[in-house]
Amino acid sequence: MFFQSSLTAAIGLATLATALTCNSSTKLSTEAQDLFEFSMSINDARFDESYKMIWTEDNGPWSVRFTAWYTAGLLYRNQGDDLENAKGAINLATQMNENFTSPWYGDFKLSPDEPSPQTPLYPPKIYGSYDPNWREFVGSQLVQCVEEFEDLLGPDLVQEIETAMVHAAVGAMKRNGTNSDGDNLILAYSNPAYMRALNVGWIGSRIKNQTFIDFGNTQGDELFKLFTKMGANTMGEYNAPNYYGMDFWALGAMEKYGPENSSFKAHAPVIMAKLWDDIADHYNPYLGNMVGPYDRAYTRDMNVHDAILSLYFWGIFGHGKAAGPPKGEIDLRYDAAQGSAIALILDNVASAMSLEVKEALLGEFGEKRLLNRTVYYDLETDNNRTTTAWISKSLMIGGQKLAENVDRGKQFVPAIVHWASDPTHKPRPLNGYFSLFPSTTTITAIAESQKLTISYPNTTQDGSDSFQFMLSGIPPPWSLAGNVVDGFTNVPCLDVNVTAPGLQRLPTVYGSSIYGSWYYNITYLVPSNFTGTPMISFDLAPTC
């Protein structure tokens, strides 16, 4: 009843909201303009003029999310039919407002042709038939469009956007990470949490709805408290090169578009500065990668497959100056759909970067270092995970210690080793890497100088009967010379001494891939009669 009454009042206020009349004053740097134009060239080529939607196999034939990202680019360029196409592309009919009690209320469809979730036609399934984070993706894009281009959109469309944002805010506020539908939006789920704070607080300020304003400010304060808890300065989605890109999107938009008196606008530049510091600590300019472990990762090598963070490197420094794949790489062409929108907030993100960070990202490799970080789950307890990482010029090692009961999925990389498997490769050495597949949920992985140790303290959990490693990044000349991977006994440019007491190594198998990376599977089995704590350690030394 509270949400229903708030919705009715908020929509009434949205109807009365007055329009501003200011042009976008954003000027792009040469580097940001290059990113902008690359993004637009991709989206221009797949824009469906009839339906004003982007054709792409995102989650259906057309993508509501990709189309939303494209609108900012159309409005900024504003040539030919761009304005007409942008207005048509802001298709608010894709918002699902017909079922107030549903978890997808105020959310946006994945593709405009799909039915709303319903049984038996399209059974409701979170991150399946609907994705609640689309409220935040599309909503934050609508914030940018109004803030940058309100005069171009006109008062009628702006009012429609405000009404849509009211529906989205109500739906977003009902998410608390404990719903029976499997929703997992808690404070530690960083990227949608930051976008939600922006969206709800922004529309609250627009229509002077105190409930929305208070929610946005409370979320902004709590997110800041979690980030800075005990001086940790760590995101809940920690060391995630892909989703750090979405964090920067939300934080940059908070600083640029957030209401002047909002908590999240005040906190955003502080968080961005600390986040850049931590990225610089983890980044190796020689290898062109961030050391693990990664809470969430698609690519394990940013030189080969894209992570959204590379778009910020491109737009701030120029393509190829820091980590990032070639322009033709398929994941880059997926992520760069958002590039034109990101380009418009790059000045805000870049302004949080210190000179020391810039030098660490663009300069020569500095000193060897050991990093220790703590990642907290919530504000109420001291429950945490810890990460360790060791970085040298040609070898990086990362590990995480955690004790959980829920599988984090294959994006989770609890332990990983990178090294220069071919130092002669240009423009950067070819990265070899092997990572632990997260088969169980209680893992102790510790990185030290040239050493990685992994153990399973809780042998009652499923998956604690094997250590499964994925090895990639083998140079073609090494293989074509007749070399064959056989466990860790013969690895290019790296000496690996394995200690695995009581474990049985299975035959090495090749032919599977994870997020486009083909790998050798090297598995150590824990025998059924094993007693004690299963453990494996690697002493590592580069040989090239």
Side-chain angles (χ1 to χ4, degrees), residues 199-259:
N199 293 349
V200 177
W202 179 85
I203 188 57
S205 178
R206 289 282 300 189
I207 66 171
K208 297 179 174 56
N209 180 292
Q210 197 61 44
T211 300
F212 292 166
I213 292 171
D214 291 345
F215 182 89
N217 284 329
T218 298
Q219 288 290 296
D221 283 334
E222 290 182 350
L223 286 164
F224 182 72
K225 289 176 182 177
L226 184 61
F227 180 82
T228 58
K229 185 172 181 175
M230 301 297 291
N233 295 326
T234 51
M235 285 287 181
E237 284 178 296
Y238 186 63
N239 208 31
N242 201 64
Y243 290 99
Y244 275 1
M246 294 312 302
D247 294 329
F248 274 134
W249 161 253
L251 291 162
M254 283 176 168
E255 185 184 19
K256 188 172 187 181
Y257 310 130

Side-chain angles (χ1 to χ4, degrees), residues 2-247:
F2 166 76
F3 284 113
Q4 186 77 63
S5 59
S6 295
L7 172 66
T8 303
I11 289 177
L13 287 169
T15 304
L16 297 174
T18 57
L20 302 176
T21 56
C22 59
N23 287 309
S24 171
S25 59
T26 300
K27 304 300 180 186
L28 300 183
S29 67
T30 300
E31 295 79 10
Q33 185 69 38
D34 185 47
L35 172 63
F36 178 93
E37 291 176 359
F38 179 77
S39 174
M40 293 301 287
S41 71
I42 294 170
N43 287 331
D44 286 344
R46 56 191 180 190
F47 185 61
D48 186 330
E49 289 275 357
S50 294
Y51 300 142
K52 309 300 183 188
M53 300 293 295
I54 293 289
W55 291 97
T56 185
E57 286 294 327
D58 182 24
N59 285 275
W62 299 270
S63 174
V64 171
R65 179 176 60 159
F66 279 39
T67 303
W69 289 337
Y70 183 44
T71 56
L74 290 170
L75 291 165
Y76 186 82
R77 187 174 62 186
N78 194 16
Q79 298 174 3
D81 295 331
D82 284 348
L83 179 56
E84 177 187 351
N85 286 334
K87 289 182 176 181
I90 300 176
N91 188 347
L92 302 176
T94 59
Q95 191 176 42
M96 298 179 287
N97 299 328
E98 65 276 6
N99 187 346
F100 182 78
T101 60
S102 71
W104 55 87
Y105 177 80
D107 198 4
F108 294 86
K109 292 185 176 186
L110 306 176
S111 182
D113 60 309
E114 68 179 4
S116 296
Q118 55 190 283
T119 302
L121 176 63
Y122 198 32
K125 183 180 180 182
I126 191 169
Y127 305 122
S129 54
Y130 71 98
D131 188 327
N133 293 339
W134 257 236
R135 286 190 197 93
E136 277 48 77
F137 286 127
V138 177
S140 58
Q141 188 55 67
L142 292 174
V143 169
Q144 183 181 62
C145 286
V146 172
E147 287 291 320
E148 296 271 2
F149 311 107
E150 185 166 358
D151 60 321
L152 293 178
L153 297 176
D156 291 342
L157 182 52
V158 168
Q159 182 178 307
E160 292 176 18
I161 291 172
E162 289 174 339
T163 300
M165 290 296 289
V166 168
H167 291 297
V170 171
M173 288 168 66
K174 292 194 289 184
R175 299 182 69 186
N176 62 11
T178 62
N179 295 345
S180 59
D181 65 316
D183 186 81
N184 60 336
L185 181 50
I186 57 176
L187 278 180
Y189 190 5
S190 306
N191 83 87
Y194 279 92
M195 286 189 284
R196 178 175 66 171
L198 166 68
N199 293 349
V200 177
W202 179 85
I203 188 57
S205 178
R206 289 282 300 189
I207 66 171
K208 297 179 174 56
N209 180 292
Q210 197 61 44
T211 300
F212 292 166
I213 292 171
D214 291 345
F215 182 89
N217 284 329
T218 298
Q219 288 290 296
D221 283 334
E222 290 182 350
L223 286 164
F224 182 72
K225 289 176 182 177
L226 184 61
F227 180 82
T228 58
K229 185 172 181 175
M230 301 297 291
N233 295 326
T234 51
M235 285 287 181
E237 284 178 296
Y238 186 63
N239 208 31
N242 201 64
Y243 290 99
Y244 275 1
M246 294 312 302
D247 294 329

Side-chain angles (χ1 to χ4, degrees), residues 248-484:
F248 274 134
W249 161 253
L251 291 162
M254 283 176 168
E255 185 184 19
K256 188 172 187 181
Y257 310 130
E260 286 302 323
N261 59 349
S262 61
S263 67
F264 50 82
K265 183 182 183 73
H267 295 318
V270 179
I271 297 172
M272 285 194 289
K274 295 296 185 182
L275 185 55
W276 274 126
D277 289 346
D278 201 51
I279 288 170
D281 283 345
H282 285 76
Y283 184 72
N284 183 327
Y286 174 70
L287 294 177
N289 272 303
M290 290 173 61
V291 66
Y294 311 121
D295 272 3
R296 297 182 68 188
Y298 297 100
T299 181
R300 276 71 168 163
D301 183 355
M302 293 174 67
N303 301 296
V304 177
H305 296 283
D306 192 57
I308 299 173
L309 182 61
S310 77
L311 300 182
Y312 293 82
F313 292 155
W314 180 347
I316 295 171
F317 304 130
H319 184 264
K321 299 295 185 181
K327 290 184 177 180
E329 195 268 320
I330 190 169
D331 291 332
L332 174 60
R333 300 179 76 84
Y334 182 97
D335 294 340
Q338 194 183 5
S340 59
I342 288 173
L344 299 180
I345 52 100
L346 279 177
D347 278 354
N348 299 81
V349 178
S351 67
M353 181 191 300
S354 68
L355 179 61
E356 290 77 15
V357 167
K358 183 176 181 179
E359 291 174 348
L361 295 175
L362 297 181
E364 299 294 323
F365 180 83
E367 296 180 349
K368 298 177 183 179
R369 55 194 181 271
L370 179 66
L371 306 175
N372 295 274
R373 299 290 188 267
T374 302
V375 184
Y376 290 96
Y377 289 96
D378 52 49
L379 294 176
E380 294 75 26
T381 71
D382 290 330
N383 296 336
N384 64 77
R385 300 172 285 129
T386 57
T387 72
T388 51
W390 187 80
I391 310 176
S392 66
K393 182 176 180 179
S394 57
L395 175 66
M396 307 193 300
I397 309 166
Q400 183 169 147
K401 179 181 179 181
L402 72 163
E404 298 179 342
N405 296 312
V406 178
D407 180 8
R408 284 179 169 263
K410 64 181 183 179
Q411 293 179 22
F412 180 45
V413 185
I416 188 168
V417 172
H418 289 86
W419 78 97
S421 62
D422 183 0
T424 68
H425 184 269
K426 302 298 181 184
R428 293 185 179 86
L430 181 68
N431 279 226
Y433 55 96
F434 66 88
S435 60
L436 175 70
F437 185 83
S439 61
T440 191
T441 58
T442 296
I443 301 169
T444 297
I446 299 174
E448 304 171 78
S449 174
Q450 297 193 204
K451 185 170 185 175
L452 173 65
T453 303
I454 307 170
S455 63
Y456 293 156
N458 187 350
T459 56
T460 66
Q461 291 181 329
D462 291 342
S464 61
D465 57 352
S466 65
F467 294 84
Q468 303 173 36
F469 297 95
M470 299 176 289
L471 184 147
S472 297
I474 302 300
W478 186 87
S479 295
L480 294 174
N483 293 294
V484 177

